[in-house]
Amino acid sequence: MSPLASSQESIPSVYSIDSSDSLSSSSARPSIHLEPLPAWRTAKLLPYELREHCIIYFEEGLYVPALHLLISLVTFGTASSTPTPAFLPPQQQLALAATLAIHPSITTRAQNEDRLQASNLALRYLRLVLDLVGPINGNLTDAFAFSTVETSSRRGAKRRVTGDDISPTKDDLHSINSELANAGSIWARAQDFWHVVGWAFSCSLLHQRRWERWQLWLQYMIDVLDSDWTLRAQMRIDDPDNKQDPRESSLMVQYLNGGNAPARQERRILRSVFADGTSKSTGEFPEIWRNETKELKKHTDMKKSEGKLNIEADVWGLYMNESSSSSDLEDTPPATSPASADLETSPQTPFSDVSAPFGGPQSIVLRLRLLSLLSTVSVFLPQTFTPLSTLYDLYLEHVRPLPVPSFFTLICPSSMQYFHQSAASSITQIILRSLIASSAPPPLTDDLTQKDLERCYLPFPANTGSISDNTKVSLCVETLLRLLQGHCGLYWNDGRLQTAVEQGIEAREQKAKKAGKGRGKGKVDGEGERMWLKASAGRMRGLVDLVGGQEQRQDT
């Protein structure tokens, strides 16, 4: 049974805006108005000689010249008034570039400047492929597929095959005989994309240096998922009679369908998005590479460690060495992230960095973007992932128990802007209905109007005397007010808006008045939550005064 079923018969579904004066939560699908898509170039496979040239570079660990060559090839012809097809390598080289962008031996444990430059070039190249060629023409769905080495013909085979009785396959000819392209790649080391997501978000709290790289990698991957889905949605609009929905072949759907059985996968996916660096979280989503968070000892001399490079004498220094000796590594100090350090002081400073429990602002943005993508998939392909009501129930399970500052971080209007307006309204109402007093009547329709807000939400306190719950109710109704204002505007309504707001503020303050009179930490937390309650009340009063002032000016 839904967690909300016992407290509310009618749960707002979502996802279209049907009228100019309401936020609709109708189950009907939204009319999509997509932004014009970029004019992506078509792609052309590199000629055989250039493919072999790049493979040799990669196999010898000469990543910088390989990536410089690939960058020059993909950008060639962009200045022309009639762009020519972009030259792209086989998917194996794109997959390797994604590993080079994040592997610890090339990033946080880079033993020379060339290696660090290689990781930056790899990310730059991947970004150019996405921006110039696009996710479909670039074949990123195949390049970014997770698979084990044992079952991956594209990465498990040796590049060169000998013997008269053996006919090399296409994948054999394109495979790269390199540890980082095979067993050491992110596509082979990680269980699936959600394993990477969970570990990356834990790094945002526990391992700041690793998070600096994971943030860039994860942002790029979410951009790929978003662009790929948007492009396929446009293809669906352009050809609505096609029995095969192009979105079913999207990279997002590929990641949702991998790994566990669907019944368990949806919960695991939400846990990965809300990964918080606890032992439970890192146990479920462990590090991708062994000793990934360890760093080179400070006394390690980079120039000395580089060794000599003498190709004729077959002396390669570090170019053929993909790992550091355990004697050269040391553990990173605990709580290296500023976000982790802020956790210790947050009870005494309730208005300090509210993003700290989630790893900082960038971590929150990436989490919200993933949640928005999951919401979109549930709307259009519920059979592929999970029905939207189930997804929002799982979202509620994670959000409702959060401390007030963390709750505010996810429910505030600036966070809700990452969702479709109707989805933002539905999520907020679902959370609010789980907290608000049972005497609050449900809205008469799925379209949330100002009258519904005044009648069903604004005047009511929480269903408990907890300061925390009453503060969360206040934050939810404040968010609904601002969402409605942003979508269709608020009106004075003969003072009824102000009356409803003031009734709710008074009701919540009175219901929470006796709470927080204990001693010690509980009292400190209660005082902090009371500050949040007063601040929310002040913002709502300011908004109502603004609406009243605008209406007075119009009358005059």
Side-chain angles (χ1 to χ4, degrees):
M1 177 181 291
S2 162
L4 301 177
S6 60
S7 60
Q8 180 62 33
E9 293 180 4
S10 174
I11 301 174
S13 53
V14 294
Y15 204 73
S16 66
I17 295 180
D18 297 324
S19 58
S20 60
D21 61 348
S22 67
L23 280 171
S24 173
S25 296
S26 169
S27 59
R29 297 185 176 187
S31 56
I32 299 297
H33 302 286
L34 299 175
E35 294 296 327
L37 295 173
W40 282 310
R41 299 168 64 188
T42 56
K44 187 176 182 180
L45 186 64
L46 282 180
Y48 174 79
E49 293 80 3
L50 289 175
R51 295 201 304 270
E52 285 292 297
H53 208 63
C54 291
I55 288 176
I56 291 172
Y57 273 144
F58 281 130
E59 290 188 341
E60 302 300 344
L62 302 173
Y63 304 130
V64 171
L67 290 164
H68 272 309
L69 177 58
L70 290 175
I71 288 173
S72 65
L73 289 167
V74 77
T75 55
F76 177 77
T78 53
S80 173
S81 57
T82 55
T84 57
F87 284 107
L88 288 187
Q91 62 197 39
Q92 291 85 346
Q93 296 184 34
L94 290 169
L96 176 56
T99 295
L100 294 177
I102 192 59
H103 195 279
S105 70
I106 315 293
T107 54
T108 48
R109 288 208 300 269
Q111 295 186 26
N112 58 45
E113 293 298 332
D114 272 359
R115 283 177 167 265
L116 190 57
Q117 183 186 8
S119 67
N120 294 331
L121 286 174
L123 196 59
R124 179 187 171 197
Y125 175 64
L126 292 173
R127 180 64 65 179
L128 286 170
V129 171
L130 177 61
D131 293 344
L132 298 178
V133 184
I136 296 181
N137 291 344
N139 197 23
L140 299 185
T141 303
D142 289 337
F144 296 162
F146 287 84
S147 58
T148 60
V149 176
E150 290 77 15
T151 60
S152 173
S153 61
R154 70 172 192 185
R155 296 187 183 94
K158 296 295 183 181
R159 182 170 63 89
R160 293 174 177 82
V161 181
T162 59
D164 295 337
D165 57 340
I166 299 178
S167 298
T169 65
K170 184 177 180 180
D171 277 341
D172 291 333
L173 295 174
H174 293 164
S175 62
I176 305 170
N177 188 11
S178 166
E179 175 72 14
L180 294 189
N182 294 282
S185 73
I186 188 172
W187 316 109
R189 294 291 303 176
Q191 179 182 347
D192 57 13
F193 178 69
W194 307 107
H195 175 190
V196 177
V197 168
W199 169 245
F201 284 140
S202 286
C203 284
S204 71
L205 287 153
L206 302 176
H207 308 288
Q208 186 65 15
R209 287 203 66 208
R210 283 304 293 163
W211 170 240
E212 290 172 0
R213 299 303 306 189
W214 276 119
Q215 173 191 326
L216 297 173
W217 191 93
L218 195 56
Q219 181 178 346
Y220 170 76
M221 289 300 299
I222 295 174
D223 287 345
V224 171
L225 293 172
D226 207 351
S227 296
D228 183 54
W229 178 272
T230 301
L231 178 56
R232 294 175 189 274
Q234 185 62 58
M235 293 167 61
R236 180 62 172 175
I237 293 173
D238 294 341
D239 187 12
D241 297 328
N242 191 341
K243 294 182 180 180
Q244 180 66 34
D245 190 333
R247 292 169 296 196
E248 293 178 352
S249 302
S250 66
L251 186 60
M252 187 66 176
V253 169
Q254 177 177 302
Y255 287 166
L256 291 173
N257 285 338
N260 299 291
R264 294 180 298 152
Q265 179 79 334
E266 58 198 27
R267 289 186 174 274
R268 178 175 172 271
I269 288 172
L270 265 291
R271 289 195 298 270
S272 74
V273 177
F274 283 96
D276 56 3
T278 60
S279 57
K280 181 179 180 180
S281 183
T282 56
E284 184 174 14
F285 308 107
E287 62 182 5
I288 307 301
W289 291 278
R290 185 172 176 268
N291 295 328
E292 178 183 339
T293 60
K294 290 188 175 183
E295 299 180 4
L296 291 175
K297 292 181 179 179
K298 293 181 180 180
H299 61 73
T300 302
D301 188 333
M302 180 176 286
K303 291 186 178 179
K304 182 179 178 181
S305 67
E306 288 179 2
K308 296 181 179 179
L309 176 63
N310 187 333
I311 297 176
E312 293 183 358
D314 201 28
V315 177
W316 295 89
L318 287 178
Y319 285 96
M320 298 295 288
N321 181 18
E322 305 296 355
S323 60
S324 303
S325 169
S326 58
S327 61
D328 294 331
L329 303 180
E330 63 181 359
D331 291 324
T332 56
T336 56
S337 166
S340 300
D342 287 345
L343 290 175
E344 300 177 2
T345 61
S346 57
Q348 288 75 34
T349 55
F351 292 105
S352 62
D353 186 5
V354 295
S355 65
F358 294 104
Q362 288 303 317
S363 175
I364 291 174
V365 169
L366 296 179
R367 294 174 196 257
L368 290 169
R369 290 185 63 191
L370 282 172
L371 289 169
S372 179
L373 273 170
L374 292 172
S375 175
T376 302
V377 175
S378 288
V379 169
F380 292 101
L381 301 175
Q383 72 284 357
T384 297
F385 178 40
T386 190
L388 194 59
S389 59
T390 303
L391 176 65
Y392 286 170
D393 284 347
L394 294 174
Y395 187 79
L396 172 64
E397 289 179 11
H398 285 277
V399 173
R400 179 176 172 173
L402 291 172
V404 168
S406 303
F407 181 91
F408 169 78
T409 302
L410 296 181
I411 206 67
C412 66
S414 59
S415 294
M416 285 293 149
Q417 69 178 341
Y418 292 96
F419 295 86
H420 188 279
Q421 290 173 325
S422 296
S425 172
S426 296
I427 292 171
T428 307
Q429 288 184 72
I430 285 173
I431 296 172
L432 180 55
R433 296 306 304 186
S434 73
L435 293 163
I436 203 165
S438 58
S439 57
L444 296 177
T445 67
D446 286 335
D447 297 339
L448 180 65
T449 65
Q450 181 174 322
K451 290 182 179 180
D452 290 327
L453 200 58
E454 294 169 358
R455 185 179 71 91
C456 306
Y457 294 133
L458 286 174
F460 296 96
N463 51 22
T464 72
S466 162
I467 300 178
S468 175
D469 285 352
N470 279 278
T471 302
K472 291 175 181 179
V473 168
S474 182
L475 293 172
C476 285
V477 296
E478 178 191 350
T479 293
L480 290 176
L481 260 178
R482 293 191 177 276
L483 287 174
L484 204 58
Q485 180 201 32
H487 173 59
C488 55
L490 297 171
Y491 56 96
W492 186 245
N493 198 18
D494 295 329
R496 284 190 285 271
L497 176 63
Q498 184 180 45
T499 300
V501 168
E502 290 296 336
Q503 285 179 351
I505 291 173
E506 178 66 20
R508 289 184 286 273
E509 287 180 351
Q510 289 299 320
K511 195 156 189 178
K513 197 169 185 179
K514 296 182 180 180
K517 291 188 176 182
R519 297 181 179 180
K521 185 177 183 298
K523 184 175 181 180
V524 174
D525 291 344
E527 289 303 314
E529 290 164 348
R530 200 176 294 277
M531 290 175 64
W532 282 95
L533 181 60
K534 292 180 178 179
S536 177
R539 291 191 296 269
M540 284 191 285
R541 282 173 171 147
L543 180 59
V544 171
D545 289 343
L546 179 64
V547 172
Q550 290 175 341
E551 192 143 322
Q552 286 180 356
R553 286 192 294 272
Q554 291 174 357
D555 292 340
T556 58

